[in-house]
Amino acid sequence: MAKQEGDLVRLSLDEVHAIASKGLIRHGASVEQARTVADTITSAERDGCKSHGLFRLPGYIGSLKSGKITGDAVPVLSELAPAVVKVDAANGFASLPLEMGTAALAEKAREQGIAALAITNSYHFAALWPETERLAEQGLVAFAFVTAKSYVAPAGGIKPLYGTNPMAFAWPREGKPPIVFDQASSASARGEIMIHERDGKPIPDDWAIDSEGNPTNDPTAALAGAQLPFGGYKGGSIALMVELLAGAMIGDVFSFEATANDVRDGGPPKRGEFMIAIDPTRCVSGGNGVAQLAHAETLFDEILSQEGTRLPSDRRYAAREKTPKEGITVPRSLYDECEMLSSAGV
Ligand code: NDP
């Protein structure tokens, strides 16, 4: 049972899944769509990624209520080339197409050595580590790229153009969970600025500019202005690459087009995702992967031999150790909102 702790409510992971799934179904999602989105939300809470956990449920449901997202969409998988598969999400959430698409992508990567997946007509509202980690757990090296809405000014500009355009990379490890980095090409994810605004906290320097182009620490001014790419023009070029891969190349939209098409119901815009999977055993002659993975471990050991370092994804895996036993907490206001959405009808 949900337990109140001051301004917070503690929930088990099963309760997170149940409240998300119930809310989505009540507002028109099919059981499969609701299950896969609830899986996405629950894994974010499990790994301490608050900006993609229950915090997103009102947005997912807002887009069902507005009619923007087809709650009972049936994604369609097709083969575009011997090593390229596509899932047309049929105007639905991205979680179910990703479940189908990554299974087909893994098969193709093992057959061909390298393969690609294009997901189109989908609404992605989450992190990218789940889909890349899923592939690396099967021994594959994986990349994922997603556009967003226009939130980020190109280096030197002051008007939003690029999305926050995350990319993720996952590397398999023998007997250990994969190494995954998953990062926006903006200095911060937009959800982080929204959480700072909700909590009445200033944002760090260099995350954003206001609508006049002045640096700001005010989250509200930042949301009205433009986010900045990480590392100046270098992050800007990564954002540009993501636009090209997940937009033009797979026949889907750029972030500025997704913005123009969106109805602003608090949910995600419709856009594409592009993924690559590589079978490392096919990248050396006669390899079985053992030597390559063992070699990689020497690099990780060197990194960790320096004080102050950690590997990307270690924070998530540390959270994953605790949350199945301890549960997670959400602000009471968010819990009340999710509870109301999962109890009320359409
Ligand atoms: P962060 O800056 O919080 O983290 C980026 C990556 O760096 C993570 O893999 C993190 O690992 C790793 N990392 C952080 N600190 C260290 C460190 N000291 N040493 C080594 N590695 C480190 O992420 P962002 O704010 O850029 O993005 C947050 C999320 O938002 C991502 O999951 C992204 O996919 C998502 N997003 C989704 C969008 C969408 O439209 N669907 C749009 C934009 C972003 P760890 O997790 O272990 O901390």
Side-chain angles (χ1 to χ4, degrees), residues 183-244:
Q183 57 193 39
S185 31
S186 47
S188 75
R190 193 162 189 85
E192 286 299 329
I193 302 182
M194 291 159 74
I195 285 180
H196 278 74
E197 185 185 45
R198 182 195 71 191
D199 297 344
K201 292 185 180 155
I203 56 168
D205 290 344
D206 301 324
W207 275 18
I209 47 180
D210 65 19
S211 47
E212 308 293 317
N214 304 306
T216 184
N217 301 100
D218 175 353
T220 307
L223 292 170
Q227 290 178 244
L228 294 173
F230 76 82
Y233 62 86
K234 296 183 184 181
S237 298
I238 303 279
L240 170 66
M241 175 188 73
V242 173
E243 296 283 342
L244 295 171

Side-chain angles (χ1 to χ4, degrees), residues 47 49 51-52 56 124-130 146-149 151 163-168 180-192 207 268-269 271 308-317:
D47 282 16
C49 301
S51 56
H52 293 99
R56 296 282 176 177
H124 199 295
F125 209 27
L128 303 186
W129 56 259
V146 167
T147 54
K149 283 207 248 185
Y151 294 134
T164 42
N165 293 8
M167 67 167 280
V180 185
F181 76 74
D182 172 16
Q183 57 193 39
S185 31
S186 47
S188 75
R190 193 162 189 85
E192 286 299 329
W207 275 18
R271 63 276 179 47
T309 61
R310 72 168 173 92
L311 298 175
S313 59
D314 276 359
R315 179 198 61 82
R316 285 192 302 105
Y317 294 144

Side-chain angles (χ1 to χ4, degrees), residues 275-292:
M275 293 190 71
I276 301 168
I278 303 170
D279 181 350
T281 67
R282 308 289 294 278
C283 295
V284 291
S285 44
N288 60 9
V290 173
Q292 290 148 291

Side-chain angles (χ1 to χ4, degrees), residues 5 75 84 91 100 148 182 225 228 248 254-255 295 297 310 319 326:
E5 296 178 4
V84 185
N91 202 52
M100 296 163 61
D182 172 16
L228 294 173
F254 292 127
S255 298
H295 190 192
E297 292 300 319
R310 72 168 173 92
E326 297 174 7

